[in-house]
Amino acid sequence: MRALSKSFSQFRKITETFFSEILPKTIKFTALVVFVLWNSYKRVKSKYKYMSEINKKSSKFVFRIKFESVPELPCCSICLSEYAEGDECRELQCKHRFHRICLEKWLQESRPATCPICRLLVLPKETVEEYQREQRENVVGSGCEAEIALLLLLSATRCRNCNGF
């Protein structure tokens, strides 16, 4: 009887440990993973939607040097560097050309999204405002993710005398 009591005592201790420590940490960790994945999905979806709008309003091309043209190579008006053979570029509907990366960054950061040279509206104001609102929300989400991760890290450590760190 005493051996049976000792076995039940160990079983009870294991189940108490599981339900009081392991299960809550597992649930918290799972919630954090779901939260982080959901925010990442929203960020990617927002950027993909915005980039597809940029793709509709501009065309991509690869810069090729024509030797019969003027000896001076044209340059990107955003970064002010000359185009090199094989550079990926974009041409807007107003026929102005830029490096692809320069123009994409310009359109993601400018408000409203206009051509850097002639200020022709490239994307509707509503589209830009929606994209920038979603980006601001995701910045807030990133801070929340970091805070949750820190709390989980603190709760997962066994050190009780860490002065809050």
Side-chain angles (χ1 to χ4, degrees), residues 33-156:
V33 168
V34 168
F35 182 76
V36 168
L37 289 176
W38 178 252
N39 276 347
S40 297
Y41 167 75
K42 286 189 335 187
R43 255 185 250 123
V44 169
K45 181 182 172 189
S46 169
K47 186 159 184 151
Y48 177 78
K49 182 179 173 185
Y50 194 73
M51 292 307 297
S52 69
E53 289 296 320
I54 291 173
N55 286 335
K56 289 177 190 174
K57 302 291 183 174
S58 65
S59 59
K60 292 180 188 176
F61 68 94
V62 176
F63 185 79
R64 300 281 179 229
I65 297 175
K66 297 178 183 173
F67 291 105
E68 64 272 358
S69 66
V70 186
E72 189 177 310
L73 294 174
C75 69
C76 174
S77 299
I78 298 173
C79 69
L80 303 176
S81 8
E82 291 182 347
Y83 296 116
E85 179 78 24
D87 281 354
E88 292 182 18
C89 300
R90 279 191 180 272
E91 182 177 66
L92 295 175
Q93 292 173 341
C94 57
K95 303 298 181 199
H96 291 123
R97 296 176 175 187
F98 310 93
H99 287 119
R100 180 186 61 82
I101 293 173
C102 296
L103 183 63
E104 288 173 0
K105 187 173 182 179
W106 174 273
L107 293 174
Q108 288 173 6
E109 294 176 2
S110 69
R111 182 185 203 162
T114 59
C115 170
I117 296 176
C118 67
R119 297 296 184 194
L120 178 74
L121 198 61
V122 177
L123 297 173
K125 289 180 183 178
E126 298 80 27
T127 304
V128 176
E129 288 171 358
E130 179 184 347
Y131 172 73
Q132 290 179 343
R133 179 183 50 79
E134 289 172 352
Q135 293 304 307
R136 282 192 305 271
E137 287 174 0
N138 288 332
V139 167
V140 171
S142 299
C144 186
E145 290 169 15
E147 186 176 332
I148 291 172
L150 215 108
L151 288 172
L152 279 173
L153 181 64
L154 288 173
S155 70

